Amino acid sequence: MASVLKTTHHGGCPHDCPDTCSMVYEVENGQLTSVKGNKEHPMTRGGLCVKLKDYEKRHYHPDRLLYPMRRTGPKGSGQFERISWDEALDEITSRWKAIIAEHGPHAILPYSYLGNQGLVHGLNGGDAFFNKMGATVCERTFCGEGSCTAWLLTVGPTAGVDPESFIHSKYIVIWGCNSVSTNIHHWHIVKDAQKNGAKVVVIDPYKSKTAKEADWHIAPKPGTDGALAMAMMHVIIEEGLQDQDYIDNYTVGFDALAHRAKTRTPEWAATITGIAADDIRQFAREFATSQPAAIRLGVAVERNYGGGQAIRAITCLPALTGAWRHVGGGALQFPVWEHPYKFDVISRPDLIPEGTPVVNAIQLGRALTGELGLDTPIKSMMCWNANPVTQAAETDKIVQGLMREDLFLVSAEHFLSDTASYADIVLPASMGAEMEDMVLSWGHLYLTYNEKCVDSPGEAIPNNEIFRRLAARMGYQEENFSWSDSECLENYVDWESPACDGIDLAYLREHGFAKLKVGTKDDRAPHRNGNFPTPSGKCELEIKGATNFVAGPFRQMYDGFQPGEPLDSLPDYVPSRETHESNPALAEKYPLNIISPKSHGFLNSCYANMESKIKGQGEQFVMISPVDADMRNIQSGDVVSVFNDRGKFEALAQITDDVSPGIVVATLGYWRQLNKGTVNCVSSAEFVDMGHAPTFTDNLVQVALNA
């Protein structure tokens, strides 16, 4: 009998999730046999979400791409032939050189997002290559970028409250985040705090899985969070519940903010939000007087036209009440701001030629169909770590653009995704256990190492190796294009940072993870005495002369052609574009507001092609209230069309009291190839008020029975 060699290795979940789980790969005779959570990790505690529990099956899925392929049939047909790596690289680079010679490098667009969160193989992994080329810069603002702009303006690049410190909180507000489905390990900490007596309030327009486990579910109308936050300010200030000593010493602009809040009464907010004025008063009083109080800001808050201002208003609340004085008090947005990553080294913005244009990823359809009026039309695109045909807005325009015969599309992928099906050349990319990396976390304060422990099947290679080979073919000589993955990790992290005291790559390889030296869950209160990383060193309740921007990592670290519009000096409520109040003519035609949260069983569009995950998640559905269903003669389980002027998709009706009349909910991630349209067919590609964030929850639709 042949001997069996069993080994275990450190892993880090590469998916777009704040938890960034530390994992353990189990390998037998060179094959990945199982993936488990690392029980030694203090936050992720050995647990994995439903997406990751059989991660090894994704590595060896029968539909996985194994070889470079060239399209042989019509775009979108899925007809390809196998070719060699040399053939693929030669065709790609020869086509690019020809395009550059005829149109210039601006005719080429890189397109990626967080399908992989690794420092080496993730979001910014191809930046240096395309920055050297002089290609059009891709501004990637799918998720949280408006929140980032508002947060950075108000409190600066601080990690805020350690998510583990929520165990000490007495009052916890989960604002616009379905933690049970998208931040499960933080939710475990929240539940522990709840058992210790903390009150948990969830703010969400519908009754999510998280809302159902809260002590109090507050359900504002979509896009009205800013009005709720402003009314809270009104109550706190009018009733003298503010911490005036903290305000006087550690904030800027209180008098101006108090003057604006004077008219933002609970009665004013009640007409906007649909929340009773007495409930708003109770919420404000409890938040101000139950210290330490902590807010977990979800990215969903930004997804309406006034989302940035809503985030600013919410971010001001802990300073007004002095919550920052306490361990477990304040707000949590993205802890990544205190991670010592060297994005300039990763992205090499110094290589970008002056005057290079920018195209936003959300508006891809408009870019490819000529609507943006670009000086140089896009003639080629490379897509990796992203699937815009399901994840970006105005899907039908994207498909129209990808169908162009004069568009040369390259896709590096694991499967023949909705987007990859339109590619001219498809490159097989490695998965998690097949490559070395450190996985960025935007949800906790740990560095997470991922070890290469198995070979990729077929001829798949890691993203960074793809760009190394392309750089060699293009003749790029910069040192970084020859770095191994290990050398990248040595150079991509500021190992001399105080946050890395006692931590180096060797330590991570041995232990798998390390907590940054920025305080512990039991003593971290970074703004007890102010010390905000803002120009004033204080929480900026008022910001004079501020202009709109997108944070550097989301635009290849390029500072050219920032949005630049002047911003209101104070936070406020800004109405959504598509509502009955703001656009009654449109609402007459399309009377329902649609919300499109993340799916419980998919990770964006990852896993949405796997039968077992689809079975757990269910077929594409739309949640609708009994009132709205009855008006349309819809029964539970009926096939319905959800539509507006931008497009439509089909779904199974789920009639439920979890949504209020006037609202429908359909989750993201389903594949267009397996369904008749998906939810982003009806999404607008317009931006919110800050950070070029998307308006995924600022869309009106109609729902009707299929004929």
Side-chain angles (χ1 to χ4, degrees):
M1 181 179 292
S3 62
V4 177
L5 177 62
K6 296 183 179 181
T7 55
T8 59
H9 308 266
H10 294 301
C13 176
H15 288 308
D16 180 15
C17 168
D19 290 33
T20 310
C21 291
S22 178
M23 309 189 303
V24 177
Y25 295 128
E26 295 187 341
V27 176
E28 293 185 12
N29 292 341
Q31 290 282 109
L32 183 67
T33 56
S34 74
V35 180
K36 299 179 179 178
N38 186 345
K39 294 180 180 179
E40 302 300 316
H41 196 286
M43 182 163 175
T44 61
R45 307 183 188 184
L48 295 176
C49 69
V50 296
K51 297 98 162 167
L52 263 292
K53 283 188 175 177
D54 50 2
Y55 189 44
E56 71 281 355
K57 292 181 181 177
R58 190 166 188 267
H59 281 64
Y60 302 118
H61 193 279
D63 293 338
R64 184 167 174 191
L65 293 170
L66 301 178
Y67 306 100
M69 296 196 298
R70 178 191 291 120
R71 179 172 59 85
T72 58
K75 292 194 173 190
S77 67
Q79 297 174 36
F80 291 86
E81 65 179 0
R82 178 180 172 182
I83 58 176
S84 70
W85 268 104
D86 282 339
E87 288 176 294
L89 296 170
D90 287 343
E91 182 165 342
I92 293 167
T93 53
S94 63
R95 291 284 297 269
W96 281 347
K97 288 174 182 177
I99 289 170
I100 292 169
E102 182 176 356
H103 304 282
H106 299 169
I108 300 174
L109 177 71
Y111 196 102
S112 69
Y113 199 62
L114 287 170
N116 184 305
Q117 289 193 163
L119 290 186
V120 179
H121 306 289
L123 175 69
N124 302 101
D127 287 0
F129 174 80
F130 286 104
N131 287 347
K132 169 66 176 177
M133 180 187 287
T136 289
V137 166
C138 186
E139 192 174 67
R140 308 116 160 186
T141 57
F142 279 96
C143 183
E145 287 72 28
S147 173
C148 290
T149 301
W151 177 267
L152 293 171
L153 285 171
T154 308
V155 294
T158 172
V161 182
D162 184 337
E164 293 180 272
S165 294
F166 275 63
I167 191 63
H168 299 296
S169 305
K170 298 302 181 188
Y171 201 82
I172 297 173
V173 182
I174 309 293
W175 204 317
C177 180
N178 185 10
S179 302
V180 171
S181 293
T182 64
N183 197 187
I184 187 64
H185 296 95
H186 187 238
W187 182 245
H188 293 326
I189 296 168
V190 171
K191 291 296 287 185
D192 287 345
Q194 189 181 41
K195 292 172 186 174
N196 291 341
K199 184 168 184 176
V200 177
V201 181
V202 171
I203 302 176
D204 201 309
Y206 81 108
K207 197 174 292 182
S208 66
K209 291 177 182 291
T210 308
K212 290 178 180 180
E213 296 194 34
D215 296 303
W216 188 8
H217 173 211
I218 298 175
K221 294 178 182 178
T224 64
D225 305 86
L228 174 57
M230 292 302 296
M232 290 177 68
M233 289 183 193
H234 173 92
V235 173
I236 289 167
I237 296 168
E238 288 296 307
E239 297 188 5
L241 302 176
Q242 76 272 25
D243 184 334
Q244 197 63 47
D245 178 71
Y246 194 90
I247 290 167
D248 291 343
N249 286 288
Y250 308 127
T251 73
V252 173
F254 173 72
D255 290 344
L257 182 62
H259 179 74
R260 175 165 286 183
K262 191 85 174 172
T263 58
R264 307 312 193 246
T265 65
E267 286 72 21
W268 164 83
T271 63
I272 296 168
T273 64
I275 303 168
D278 285 347
D279 286 343
I280 296 174
R281 284 192 172 86
Q282 178 186 342
F283 180 35
R285 290 165 182 162
E286 289 180 356
F287 178 78
T289 59
S290 306
Q291 298 298 337
I295 300 172
R296 172 59 164 116
L297 275 165
V299 297
V301 179
E302 76 172 17
R303 294 184 167 184
N304 297 267
Y305 178 60
Q309 278 287 62
I311 297 283
R312 273 190 70 195
I314 296 165
T315 304
C316 289
L317 292 171
L320 294 180
T321 62
W324 287 114
R325 293 186 186 275
H326 313 284
V327 176
L332 168 65
Q333 191 244 7
F334 290 174
V336 71
W337 302 119
E338 291 187 37
H339 285 235
Y341 306 137
K342 298 164 75 171
F343 285 107
D344 280 354
V345 176
I346 300 171
S347 299
R348 293 297 305 275
D350 57 298
L351 298 175
I352 304 175
E354 186 175 349
T356 298
V358 177
V359 166
N360 186 277
I362 297 299
Q363 297 190 335
L364 177 63
R366 299 182 184 187
L368 295 181
T369 56
E371 284 188 36
L372 295 184
L374 301 173
D375 290 340
T376 303
I378 303 301
K379 295 293 185 179
S380 179
M381 184 175 96
M382 180 169 175
C383 184
W384 73 103
N385 292 345
N387 188 12
V389 171
T390 68
Q391 297 306 111
E394 297 179 357
T395 300
D396 291 349
K397 284 184 184 176
I398 295 173
V399 171
Q400 180 186 342
L402 294 179
M403 287 292 291
R404 282 172 38 202
E405 286 300 327
D406 67 331
L407 180 77
F408 177 61
L409 176 62
V410 180
S411 177
E413 255 292 4
H414 301 136
F415 299 96
L416 200 62
S417 69
D418 285 344
T419 306
S421 69
Y422 294 93
D424 296 283
I425 299 290
V426 177
L427 304 176
S430 298
M431 287 189 187
E434 301 158 9
M435 53 195 178
E436 183 183 27
D437 212 337
M438 271 179 54
V439 186
L440 176 149
S441 171
W442 51 274
H444 58 61
L445 288 163
Y446 290 85
L447 299 178
T448 310
Y449 178 72
N450 186 81
E451 180 182 0
K452 179 187 185 302
C453 56
V454 296
D455 292 329
S456 301
E459 295 178 4
I461 61 175
N463 288 341
N464 196 44
E465 177 63 16
I466 292 174
F467 288 114
R468 274 193 290 264
R469 294 184 185 185
L470 287 170
R473 285 292 208 291
M474 294 295 290
Y476 299 160
Q477 300 297 318
E478 281 74 11
E479 180 186 11
N480 54 285
F481 294 124
S482 63
W483 285 343
S484 67
D485 295 351
S486 295
E487 289 172 318
C488 287
L489 292 179
E490 292 285 7
N491 286 285
Y492 288 178
V493 179
D494 182 4
W495 299 106
E496 302 303 315
S497 164
C500 285
D501 184 32
I503 305 169
D504 59 14
L505 191 53
Y507 180 94
L508 285 174
R509 284 180 172 140
E510 181 181 354
H511 298 278
F513 65 88
K515 184 157 191 179
L516 295 168
K517 301 301 192 294
V518 291
T520 72
K521 67 182 177 66
D522 300 320
D523 64 20
R524 179 176 162 89
H527 308 303
R528 176 179 280 124
N529 300 311
N531 297 318
F532 291 94
T534 59
S536 67
K538 300 180 180 183
C539 177
E540 311 239 344
L541 307 176
E542 181 183 27
I543 311 161
K544 295 179 180 178
T547 57
N548 192 15
F549 67 92
V550 176
F554 305 114
R555 59 194 332 261
Q556 300 173 215
M557 295 304 290
Y558 183 44
D559 203 39
F561 298 103
Q562 283 279 12
E565 307 96 335
L567 298 176
D568 192 335
S569 62
L570 294 164
D572 203 358
Y573 165 63
V574 177
S576 297
R577 286 195 187 92
E578 296 193 13
T579 67
H580 286 260
E581 294 75 21
S582 63
N583 199 334
L586 187 67
E588 182 73 22
K589 191 176 181 182
Y590 303 117
L592 301 171
N593 188 284
I594 188 165
I595 300 171
S596 51
K598 302 293 182 74
S599 293
H600 186 77
F602 308 148
L603 205 303
N604 298 326
S605 67
C606 293
Y607 302 99
N609 64 320
M610 295 178 64
E611 189 174 336
S612 61
K613 303 298 184 184
I614 296 171
K615 184 177 180 180
Q617 168 67 20
E619 298 294 333
Q620 184 162 259
F621 63 88
V622 60
M623 299 165 66
I624 187 169
S625 74
V627 171
D628 289 324
D630 187 57
M631 289 174 59
R632 294 161 175 79
N633 296 315
I634 294 171
Q635 303 294 317
S636 195
D638 282 347
V639 178
V640 297
S641 290
V642 183
F643 59 94
N644 57 22
D645 290 339
R646 290 180 286 269
K648 72 174 183 178
F649 67 97
E650 291 186 4
L652 300 179
Q654 283 188 8
I655 301 174
T656 174
D657 289 320
D658 290 347
V659 296
S660 301
I663 298 171
V664 293
V665 176
T667 63
L668 283 167
Y670 289 92
W671 280 28
R672 186 181 177 102
Q673 295 175 64
L674 303 176
N675 295 276
K676 293 183 178 178
T678 61
V679 67
N680 275 332
C681 290
V682 301
S683 297
S684 168
E686 293 296 313
F687 299 136
V688 309
D689 56 342
M690 290 186 201
H692 279 181
T695 49
F696 286 138
T697 311
D698 194 347
N699 300 287
L700 288 171
V701 298
Q702 180 59 286
V703 177
L705 269 172
N706 273 16

